[in-house]
């Protein structure tokens, strides 16, 4: 006989440097998903009163897309700590194209509630695109990456977004446009591309960020912002859903899960179980 232990009960606590208590601010007020200085009041209250329903068990899917070698893998690794950032030589020579897709999990705690991001790192190379695009579905966040030193990579971002949105519901997706490799651009060169990037962000309703995975500039701030806005959207959706329900209904549903299971089995006679 085998016993299944809920994965929630065996997870270690969230790392201290992944705890978010304040809303991280946007990079540019000209291209932000919103410019409020704090989480929505009802979100804070719901968290305090532990009325966040299933949000604390959620894994929010994030897909990272963009041209080859713009720095998608390095960006994710820079957050998750897989790259030795201080070793510049190794950094420059270690380009290994992503083949298909890869993913990393990053666990946060937002306003006292656990919240995980599942970061899908996709391949920018054309020949791997059709494999990668099969993983686009169900994303809550789309991060479109370009290299601030490469105008062509910026001009391709709309196409990347279009492809990502074919698989997703636009009303439920938050979009970020991220310029990487800021460390190797001169201030004048950067200012030029930033103007265009902000304009594109406004057109596609994305939030704009510029950062460097090499120096780490803005990397943590960026992912904290992504986690916070995804979390906030999830709590707001949960509150809307439970608007007609009473507090505690979630618990009642769980305690009645045998019946639910039976009902769902009936509905799906072809289920492989
Ligand atoms: N100077 C500098 N170099 C970077 C930065 N980010 C990435 N690079 C370099 O850019 C190259 C490509 O980075 P990757 O992260 O592998 O690019 P990718 O977008 O994942 O590429 P594909 O997987 O082929 O789509 C590597 O040689 C990195 O060292 C950065 O912030 N600054
Ligand atoms: Mg890659």
């Amino acid at each position: 006989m085998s016993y299944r232990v809920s994965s929630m009960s065996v997870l270690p606590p969230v790392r201290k440097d992944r705890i978010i208590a304040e809303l991280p601010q946007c990079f540019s007020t000209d291209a932000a998903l919103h410019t409020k200085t704090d989480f929505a009041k009802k979100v804070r209250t719901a968290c305090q009163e532990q009325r966040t329903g299933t949000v604390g068990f959620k894994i929010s899917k994030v897909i990272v897309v963009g041209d080859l070698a713009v720095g998608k893998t390095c960006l994710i690794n820079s957050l998750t700590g897989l790259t030795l950032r201080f070793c510049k030589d190794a950094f420059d020579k270690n380009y290994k194209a992503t083949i298909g897709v890869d993913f990393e999990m990053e666990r946060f705690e937002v306003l006292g509630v656990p919240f995980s991001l599942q970061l899908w790192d996709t391949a920018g190379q054309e020949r791997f695109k059709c494999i990668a695009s099969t993983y686009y579905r169900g994303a809550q966040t789309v991060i479109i990456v370009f290299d601030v030193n490469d105008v062509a990579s910026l001009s391709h971002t709309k196409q990347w977004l279009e492809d990502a949105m074919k698989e997703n519901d636009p009303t439920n997706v938050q979009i970020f446009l991220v310029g990487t490799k800021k460390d190797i651009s001169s201030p004048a060169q950067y200012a030029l591309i930033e103007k265009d990037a902000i304009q594109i962000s406004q057109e596609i309703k994305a939030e704009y960020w510029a950062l460097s995975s090499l120096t780490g500039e803005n990397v943590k701030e960026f992912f904290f912002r992504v986690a916070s806005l995804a979390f906030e959207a999830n709590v707001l959706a949960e509150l809307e859903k439970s608007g007609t329900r009473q507090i505690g209904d979630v618990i009642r549903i769980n305690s009645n899960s045998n019946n639910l299971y039976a009902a769902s089995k009936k509905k799906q006679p072809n289920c492989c179980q």
Side-chain angles (χ1 to χ4, degrees), residues 37 58 74 77 79 85 113 129 140 160 175 207 258:
T37 53
K58 270 222 170 103
C74 288
N77 290 352
L79 173 77
R85 278 208 301 263
V113 181
K129 217 173 153 181
Q140 292 196 333
W160 283 107
I175 306 161
E207 177 160 310
N258 286 343

Side-chain angles (χ1 to χ4, degrees), residues 42-58 110-114 231 234-239 242 245 247 250:
K42 56 181 165 182
V43 169
R44 268 200 184 275
T45 313
C47 293
Q48 264 159 18
E49 296 171 358
Q50 299 182 345
R51 281 189 295 108
T52 49
T54 58
V55 175
F57 305 96
K58 270 222 170 103
V110 191
L111 300 178
V113 181
F231 175 81
N234 273 293
V235 177
L236 287 172
E238 188 74 28
L239 290 175
S242 65
R245 289 203 310 250
I247 302 164
V250 174

Side-chain angles (χ1 to χ4, degrees), residues 67-74 91-92 94-98 121-125 181 183-184 212-214:
D67 277 7
L68 73 154
V70 291
K72 299 178 294 297
T73 302
C74 288
F91 201 87
D92 285 340
N94 70 358
Y95 172 52
K96 254 175 70 189
T98 303
D121 177 17
T122 68
Q125 281 193 32
K181 310 192 192 182
D183 57 286
I184 47 171
S212 165
S213 309
L214 176 64

Side-chain angles (χ1 to χ4, degrees), residues 24-262:
Q25 297 304 292
C26 60
F27 176 81
S28 161
T29 49
D30 292 332
L33 288 178
H34 72 61
T35 53
K36 293 177 193 121
T37 53
D38 193 11
F39 287 101
K41 198 157 187 297
K42 56 181 165 182
V43 169
R44 268 200 184 275
T45 313
C47 293
Q48 264 159 18
E49 296 171 358
Q50 299 182 345
R51 281 189 295 108
T52 49
T54 58
V55 175
F57 305 96
K58 270 222 170 103
I59 296 171
S60 182
K61 182 171 178 176
V62 178
I63 57 171
V64 183
V65 299
D67 277 7
L68 73 154
V70 291
K72 299 178 294 297
T73 302
C74 288
L75 174 60
I76 293 173
N77 290 352
S78 180
L79 173 77
T80 54
L82 295 176
T83 308
L84 297 174
R85 278 208 301 263
F86 50 84
C87 182
K88 189 171 191 307
D89 287 345
F91 201 87
D92 285 340
K93 291 181 195 128
N94 70 358
Y95 172 52
K96 254 175 70 189
T98 303
I99 298 172
V101 287
D102 222 340
F103 80 85
E104 294 286 337
M105 285 278 283
E106 197 62 36
R107 296 172 60 226
F108 295 88
E109 190 185 289
V110 191
L111 300 178
V113 181
F115 189 69
S116 296
L117 295 183
Q118 189 181 42
L119 301 161
W120 287 82
D121 177 17
T122 68
Q125 281 193 32
E126 195 60 39
R127 61 194 164 131
F128 301 128
K129 217 173 153 181
C130 68
I131 315 172
S133 63
T134 60
Y135 293 89
Y136 289 171
R137 184 163 302 176
Q140 292 196 333
T141 306
V142 176
I143 298 176
I144 316 160
V145 180
F146 72 99
D147 174 348
V148 297
N149 310 286
D150 176 4
V151 186
S153 71
L154 176 62
S155 70
H156 298 151
T157 53
K158 279 188 177 167
Q159 187 58 52
W160 283 107
L161 178 64
E162 199 177 299
D163 292 347
M165 290 325 248
K166 276 183 203 148
E167 309 290 333
N168 285 293
D169 171 5
T171 54
N172 287 329
V173 175
Q174 295 183 323
I175 306 161
F176 291 83
L177 183 67
V178 177
T180 53
K181 310 192 192 182
K182 196 162 176 273
D183 57 286
I184 47 171
S185 77
S186 70
Q189 192 191 8
Y190 173 72
L192 267 181
I193 201 152
E194 183 182 73
K195 230 174 124 239
D196 292 344
I198 286 185
Q199 195 187 332
I200 292 179
S201 299
Q202 289 166 346
E203 285 166 21
I204 63 176
K205 298 191 166 44
E207 177 160 310
Y208 174 65
W209 280 75
L211 45 78
S212 165
S213 309
L214 176 64
T215 64
E217 180 191 354
N218 283 333
V219 170
K220 196 176 159 196
E221 290 81 352
F222 167 64
F223 281 109
F224 271 43
R225 177 84 175 160
V226 170
S228 300
L229 293 188
F231 175 81
E232 186 170 51
N234 273 293
V235 177
L236 287 172
E238 188 74 28
L239 290 175
E240 200 161 301
K241 236 178 21 190
S242 65
T244 50
R245 289 203 310 250
Q246 290 298 306
I247 302 164
D249 268 9
V250 174
I251 295 162
R252 281 208 295 278
I253 288 169
N254 283 346
S255 66
N256 218 3
S257 57
N258 286 343
N259 294 346
L260 275 184
Y261 179 62

